[in-house]
Amino acid sequence: MPHWLQLMLDSLGPLLWAAVKFTAPLTILSFALGLTVGLIAALIRLFAPAPFAAAIRFYVWIIRGTPLLVQLFLIFYGLPSAGIIIDAFPAALIGFTLNIGAYSSEIIRAAISSVPRGQWEASYSIGMSFQQTIRRTILPQAGRVAVPPLSNTFISLVKDTSLAAAITVPELFQAAQRIVATTYEPLILYIEAALIYLALSSILSALQVRLEHRLNRYGGFLEARS
């Protein structure tokens, strides 16, 4: 067996374990919390008084205008200077949550804005309150519009978790770095890590396509073409 293949087989277990133990939880938790933050931020941006909406715009401006890596460094390496010490995994979770929250808030805001005004009027005409209209009429329709961009955000997050290696989270990419430090085979190990990320992204992309087809089975662009 070639040396490079044997090395990849030997390192596959530790890399997959790091992905299961750290990459997957970091991705899922960050996306779930970020989606919650994004929904709240979008609703504040659309319906809250001007000062609150301005605060959300400032938050989105800061997050979207600065690199994610810099945000992680500020939380993990910068906050200790102010007496706030956060462990690596929680620091990464906070950073990714804030980042996903800002981007998803814009997606959700645009999706809610895309719902025709007549849907609001129809809901009010049958006696629904504002909260009922949002929950029963607007969000279900906006969710269908938001699924493709939010799915893309989730897939991107899987790859972005590799940045957590820079703040010592022992996820997939840092596991590869540690093996490189002992084997001195960076090309082989980094290619293997890239292939694992590619496999994960491909699986998620396939699931995204199935989800979009399911959402469009009662009509829409996909069925209009067939």
Side-chain angles (χ1 to χ4, degrees):
M1 181 179 296
H3 167 70
W4 63 268
L5 182 56
Q6 184 63 53
L7 179 59
M8 294 183 76
L9 291 175
D10 292 341
S11 59
L12 182 61
L15 293 181
L16 292 178
W17 175 244
V20 170
K21 189 175 181 180
F22 291 100
T23 301
L26 183 58
T27 301
I28 295 170
L29 289 174
S30 297
F31 187 76
L33 294 174
L35 198 59
T36 302
V37 171
L39 176 59
I40 295 172
L43 293 175
I44 292 174
R45 178 85 177 269
L46 287 170
F47 306 113
F52 296 99
I56 294 300
R57 284 197 298 270
F58 180 76
Y59 154 66
V60 173
W61 173 65
I62 289 292
I63 296 298
R64 293 176 67 187
T66 56
L68 175 56
L69 184 60
V70 174
Q71 297 164 17
L72 294 174
F73 269 58
L74 282 173
I75 295 170
F76 185 69
Y77 295 114
L79 290 181
S81 300
I84 303 173
I85 300 175
I86 306 175
D87 290 337
F89 189 88
L93 182 60
I94 293 171
F96 287 122
T97 295
L98 292 175
N99 192 271
I100 292 297
Y103 282 94
S104 64
S105 71
E106 291 297 283
I107 295 172
I108 295 171
R109 181 181 64 84
I112 292 174
S113 299
S114 71
V115 178
R117 183 178 181 84
Q119 297 294 313
W120 293 86
E121 296 172 348
S123 298
Y124 290 145
S125 70
I126 61 175
M128 285 189 184
S129 65
F130 174 79
Q131 290 80 6
Q132 290 173 325
T133 299
I134 286 288
R135 187 175 66 254
R136 298 180 181 179
T137 304
I138 304 304
L139 287 183
Q141 296 182 65
R144 180 174 173 176
V145 175
V147 162
L150 288 177
S151 298
N152 291 332
T153 300
F154 183 76
I155 294 171
S156 296
L157 178 60
V158 173
K159 297 174 289 184
D160 289 342
T161 55
S162 61
L163 295 174
I167 59 171
T168 72
V169 176
E171 46 72 61
L172 170 59
F173 185 64
Q174 195 187 71
Q177 289 179 312
R178 290 179 175 178
I179 298 174
V180 167
T182 59
T183 62
Y184 303 101
E185 295 283 359
L187 179 61
I188 296 173
L189 269 301
Y190 290 151
I191 287 177
E192 184 174 18
L195 290 174
I196 294 175
Y197 281 116
L198 179 61
L200 292 174
S201 299
S202 299
I203 293 171
L204 292 173
S205 296
L207 293 175
Q208 176 188 353
V209 171
R210 294 192 62 179
L211 178 59
E212 290 180 17
H213 275 286
R214 183 178 182 84
L215 292 175
N216 282 279
R217 64 181 176 177
Y218 297 116
F221 176 70
L222 291 177
E223 287 195 355
R225 292 203 312 168
S226 59

